[in-house]
Amino acid sequence: MKKLLSVKYSDGAFNFSILVIRIFFGVLLLSKHGYGKMVRFEELHSRFYNFLGMGSTFSLVLAIFAEVICAAFIILGLFTRLAAIPLIITMLVVIFGANGAKPMSESELAILFLGAFITLLFCGPGKVSVDGMINK
């Protein structure tokens, strides 16, 4: 019981927790959202949310880049902090742009992704990652 209430943690627990965050959120984003957008590109490109007037096709390409390429980097733990930045921007666009007029409950998933990617931005990939192996 004392260990459950303790605020101390080991390096192993920290690194395992960051690995779990990277794998779960990266795989979920890549498989459920990024891959779906990539497969349905022809259907979505003309009606996708137009971010900052860049055009719906270019906005979709940016979203696919973030949700596929950056999510894959997050999963691998390669350039993790750098890969987290486009994902954070994408989630902010979803929350305040695409879902801006909708109730906050419709942005719950994007808010969870945002929290995970902000955590990775500040904490890094952990030792169980490509970045961790490179920086030994």
Side-chain angles (χ1 to χ4, degrees):
M1 184 68 162
K2 192 174 188 179
K3 188 164 183 130
L4 288 176
L5 298 175
S6 173
V7 294
K8 296 179 184 177
Y9 60 89
S10 67
D11 284 342
F14 173 81
N15 289 313
F16 178 73
S17 300
I18 293 296
L19 174 67
V20 168
I21 288 173
R22 280 191 6 249
I23 300 296
F24 276 63
F25 283 92
V27 168
L28 182 64
L29 185 66
L30 179 87
S31 64
K32 187 171 183 332
H33 298 281
Y35 180 74
K37 284 182 180 77
M38 198 168 59
V39 170
R40 296 175 39 223
F41 184 85
E42 285 299 317
E43 175 188 336
L44 294 174
H45 79 89
S46 62
R47 58 184 176 95
F48 195 74
Y49 179 73
N50 185 1
F51 178 63
L52 294 178
M54 294 188 292
S56 57
T57 302
F58 188 64
S59 296
L60 178 59
V61 168
L62 290 176
I64 290 171
F65 168 77
E67 294 177 4
V68 174
I69 304 300
C70 293
F73 282 168
I74 292 285
I75 293 166
L76 295 171
L78 179 63
F79 308 122
T80 305
R81 286 187 166 116
L82 193 59
I85 293 169
L87 290 166
I88 290 168
I89 293 167
T90 301
M91 294 306 121
L92 288 171
V93 169
V94 170
I95 295 165
F96 297 109
N99 291 349
K102 298 177 183 174
M104 191 62 114
S105 62
E106 292 194 29
S107 297
E108 284 177 358
L109 190 57
I111 293 168
L112 289 172
F113 279 121
L114 177 65
F117 297 133
I118 288 173
T119 300
L120 290 172
L121 178 67
F122 286 104
C123 292
K127 289 183 181 177
V128 186
S129 64
V130 175
D131 288 342
M133 288 186 251
I134 291 172
N135 293 322
K136 276 191 173 182

